[in-house]
Amino acid sequence: MIRTLAAIALIAFQIVMIGVARFVPSRYFCWAPMDSQNLYAIRVVVAGRELAPGEIGTRYRQPAEGGNWQAIQHVLDKVRQYEETYGRADGAEVVVTYTVNGGPEETWTWPPP
């Protein structure tokens, strides 16, 4: 009985999260989160100095440039989370330029406008 209830709860949770994933930019709980091709570049200026690609990789645990098969929101979430916590006193200015599935180039900035 408990196993059956646990299985039903797990399946219900998955169905709900798939529905949620259709309406939010991140796809953390989707069965197929690797459904887009994203190319991006991160540029960061701290105290008037532009960080080198290696420094950006260390800062965000994310390459400064590259591709990503997950939703681009995953990259943006990593940058935002760092800047809201560990980097909040740095006053960093971050610009992420990206394309999704070969579409037009878009820009995300920190701090938000």
Side-chain angles (χ1 to χ4, degrees):
M1 179 69 171
I2 293 177
R3 283 185 180 183
T4 303
L5 289 176
I8 290 170
L10 177 63
I11 291 170
F13 174 75
Q14 291 176 342
I15 290 170
V16 168
M17 293 314 295
I18 289 168
V20 168
R22 303 302 303 157
F23 301 103
V24 296
S26 59
R27 305 195 44 113
Y28 292 109
F29 295 103
C30 189
W31 279 357
M34 314 283 190
D35 64 347
S36 62
Q37 181 182 17
N38 309 292
L39 300 175
Y40 67 89
I42 304 171
R43 301 287 178 253
V44 182
V45 176
V46 176
R49 183 179 75 82
E50 186 168 350
L51 300 185
E55 293 173 303
I56 293 170
T58 300
R59 185 177 181 92
Y60 302 121
R61 298 189 193 313
Q62 180 79 35
E65 294 185 6
N68 180 3
W69 290 99
Q70 298 173 327
I72 192 65
Q73 192 64 41
H74 293 203
V75 174
L76 303 178
D77 285 349
K78 286 181 182 180
V79 173
R80 181 190 46 75
Q81 185 273 335
Y82 184 90
E83 295 304 333
E84 287 179 343
T85 57
Y86 303 110
R88 70 177 163 255
D90 296 346
E93 296 175 8
V94 183
V95 176
V96 180
T97 54
Y98 62 93
T99 62
V100 177
N101 294 329
E105 186 174 276
E106 298 182 50
T107 303
W108 180 90
T109 59
W110 183 267

